[in-house]
């Protein structure tokens, strides 16, 4: 967890990254930035999905609706935070000439989204409406 927090802290002060290693080819830095922006778009989509579930499914049992909305919102928050940490780790590795870091986060995020999607399929098929 300290690596994660360190990445967030460094992301807020990116000048520290410039002090490490050599400047990589700008194309790699721009690719790293595009990846970061893709993670941010994913986070925004998850957050929007959480609000959509909460706002547009008023007939759904309150606990189910709230649980699905909170799961999507939490995934969005984690995705946004993780994107900063991942950007920093990749930029640092490129500057040091190291292999790019690997992460389990994409697999965990995919699993979380799949679980919420299956829950939504169950809700649609069985219509858990509040009474």
């Amino acid at each position: 967890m300290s690596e994660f927090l360190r990445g967030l802290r460094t992301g807020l002060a990116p000048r520290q990254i410039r002090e490490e290693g050599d400047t990589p080819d700008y194309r790699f830095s721009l690719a790293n930035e595009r990846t970061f922006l893709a993670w941010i778009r994913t986070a925004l989509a998850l957050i929007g999905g959480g609000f959509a579930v909460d706002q547009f499914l008023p007939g759904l049992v309150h606990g189910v609706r709230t649980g699905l909305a909170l799961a999507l919102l939490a995934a969005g928050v984690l995705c946004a935070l993780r994107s900063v940490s991942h950007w920093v780790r990749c930029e640092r590795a490129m500057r040091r000439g190291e292999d790019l870091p690997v992460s389990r986060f994409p697999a965990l995020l995919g699993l979380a989204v799949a679980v919420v999607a299956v829950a939504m399929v169950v809700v649609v098929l069985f219509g858990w409406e509040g009474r």
Side-chain angles (χ1 to χ4, degrees):
M1 187 66 169
S2 64
E3 178 71 26
F4 176 74
L5 293 176
R6 192 174 105 194
L8 286 177
R9 192 172 351 114
T10 304
L12 296 174
R15 286 188 181 168
Q16 293 175 357
I17 295 172
R18 286 187 175 177
E19 297 171 4
E20 294 189 37
D22 299 322
T23 302
D25 185 332
Y26 71 91
R27 293 172 292 185
F28 299 129
S29 291
L30 292 173
N32 190 27
E33 186 175 332
R34 284 190 301 273
T35 302
F36 167 76
L37 293 172
W39 281 102
I40 292 297
R41 284 190 301 272
T42 301
L44 288 170
L46 290 165
I47 291 167
F51 279 115
V53 165
D54 186 53
Q55 293 298 309
F56 299 121
L57 298 175
L60 197 59
V61 173
H62 178 72
V64 173
R65 185 180 77 228
T66 301
L68 291 173
L70 288 176
L72 288 168
L73 290 168
V77 168
L78 289 174
C79 188
L81 293 174
R82 184 67 176 108
S83 68
V84 174
S85 174
H86 184 73
W87 175 81
V88 168
R89 290 173 58 214
C90 287
E91 193 68 27
R92 186 176 283 138
M94 287 188 299
R95 289 182 153 286
R96 293 177 178 172
E98 300 171 352
D99 290 339
L100 293 179
V102 295
S103 174
R104 287 187 217 120
F105 186 75
L108 295 174
L109 180 63
L111 182 62
V113 170
V115 167
V116 171
V118 167
M120 291 298 296
V121 167
V122 169
V123 166
V124 168
L125 288 177
F126 298 107
W128 288 354
E129 294 181 12
R131 305 264 182 237

